[in-house]
Amino acid sequence: MKPQAMCVVLTGASGGIGSATACALVAAGARVLLVARSHRALEQLALGLGSAATFLSADITCPQGRASIVTAARATGANVLINNAGLASFGRFQNLGEPHIREVLETNLVAPVLLTRALLEHLGTQPQAAVLNIGSALGSLGLPGFCIYGAAKAGLHGFSEALRRELHGTRIRIQYLGPRATSTSFNDARVDAFNRATGAQSDSPERVAVAILEMLARGTPERFLGFPERYAVRVNGLVPRWLDGAFRRHRTLLTSDSTLP
Ligand SMILES: NC(=O)c1ccc[n+]([C@@H]2O[C@H](COP(=O)([O-])OP(=O)(O)OC[C@H]3O[C@@H](n4cnc5c(N)ncnc54)[C@H](OP(=O)(O)O)[C@@H]3O)[C@@H](O)[C@H]2O)c1
């Protein structure tokens, strides 16, 4: 799809990857409906983007929030949904509380699934349409310290793959992008320190935004970013147990560093 033909609903638009993506989309000629909870941040971003951007303050985990997104998407003639909103989760599994676990699974998996379902009928009325789910390398490569985050993104990956096959041959493309660590405020100081200590490289949000634009333009079904992460994802998909012993440093840091959750 050409960027000029895209009218995009972008969740998580006020965040690092979201705002970089909004800027890249508008610069390429797309129209964007910016969605997040924080009205002020969206207002500021929309102001800088001019008439190609409108915004809606909505919580994707609430039925009312999703209903307001669907109403706005219909009114603007949206033909692309980017499920980008997400919450971070890091720490020893046994230390994560039930409310946190539920909130992460709701935001990162249940809400994008329900928003996709709510928008599907409208997307099917468009000449061409796409849903691009922003997952993570950690959804296809389970790492110590990221059990719940990885579970949510693995769910989003499985959902994307199955729905892509279910809708094969229709006007709606289902796409999935798995970025590796990205330099945004998503990762707090503890995750940054953990990533440094384990040798994980980070991309800029602008790099992720370019990949999003490329995927939408080319219709790429699935993509993982960064070396060696995308190769590790492949190996893990073939023989996961080969990698089970490979994360000693991660385990040691998690159990020995008292500053980690
Ligand atoms: N940064 C990374 O290292 C990294 C790596 C791989 C994948 N990802 C994925 O990339 C996506 C974007 O990450 P990011 O780094 O840009 O994170 P970020 O800067 O923290 O932005 C997260 C965005 O999600 C929105 N959001 C959170 N909960 C929401 C809710 N209930 N309803 C509506 N909006 C909500 C936030 O806005 P409000 O708080 O105002 O609602 C914000 O706009 C996420 O899905 C993340 O899992 C990130």
Side-chain angles (χ1 to χ4, degrees):
M1 197 187 306
K2 287 193 168 70
Q4 295 84 348
M6 294 176 200
C7 182
V8 181
V9 175
L10 173 63
T11 71
S14 62
I17 292 174
S19 52
T21 302
C23 293
L25 284 166
V26 169
R31 289 181 295 135
V32 189
L33 172 64
L34 311 163
V35 178
R37 291 167 300 185
S38 45
H39 180 95
R40 185 94 188 99
L42 291 175
E43 192 175 44
Q44 288 293 324
L45 179 63
L47 212 60
L49 291 174
S51 61
T54 51
F55 69 94
L56 174 70
S57 175
D59 185 338
I60 58 164
T61 63
C62 300
Q64 305 92 310
R66 290 191 297 273
S68 67
I69 295 170
V70 173
T71 303
R74 285 204 188 111
T76 53
N79 57 3
V80 177
L81 166 65
I82 304 180
N83 280 312
N84 167 68
L87 288 183
S89 174
F90 172 66
R92 277 167 283 227
F93 171 61
Q94 68 204 56
N95 293 347
L96 302 177
E98 182 173 332
H100 171 78
I101 291 173
R102 288 188 181 281
E103 189 185 15
V104 171
L105 292 173
E106 274 289 327
T107 308
N108 294 3
L109 177 58
V110 178
V113 165
L114 292 179
L115 185 56
T116 301
R117 192 182 67 156
L119 267 174
L120 219 49
E121 191 182 331
H122 165 74
L123 292 176
T125 66
Q126 301 300 304
Q128 45 182 350
V131 176
L132 174 50
N133 292 323
I134 307 302
S136 166
L138 299 180
S140 301
L141 179 66
L143 280 194
F146 299 95
C147 293
I148 298 308
Y149 182 72
K153 295 297 188 178
L156 192 63
H157 179 253
F159 166 67
S160 307
E161 185 176 89
L163 188 61
R164 180 168 76 242
R165 292 170 182 171
E166 193 169 312
L167 297 182
H168 184 75
T170 72
R171 300 172 186 181
I172 310 172
R173 281 180 197 277
I174 307 295
Q175 301 171 278
Y176 178 88
L177 174 65
R180 63 177 176 180
T182 307
S183 307
T184 72
S185 55
F186 191 74
N187 299 313
D188 63 19
R190 295 165 316 173
V191 176
D192 284 339
F194 189 77
N195 283 344
R196 269 197 308 277
T198 54
Q201 303 292 307
S202 290
D203 287 320
S204 69
E206 289 74 21
R207 166 81 191 85
V208 181
V210 167
I212 288 172
L213 216 64
E214 285 172 356
M215 285 187 75
L216 289 173
R218 295 174 188 162
T220 316
E222 178 173 294
R223 187 169 166 190
F224 291 90
L225 297 182
F227 175 85
E229 287 80 358
R230 63 176 178 272
Y231 294 101
V233 162
R234 279 194 193 173
V235 173
N236 195 61
L238 290 171
V239 203
R241 69 190 158 85
W242 279 3
L243 298 184
D244 285 353
F247 303 107
R248 184 176 301 159
R249 179 101 184 103
H250 297 72
R251 283 190 292 277
T252 308
L253 279 166
L254 269 182
T255 47
S256 63
D257 187 341
S258 58
T259 65
L260 293 181

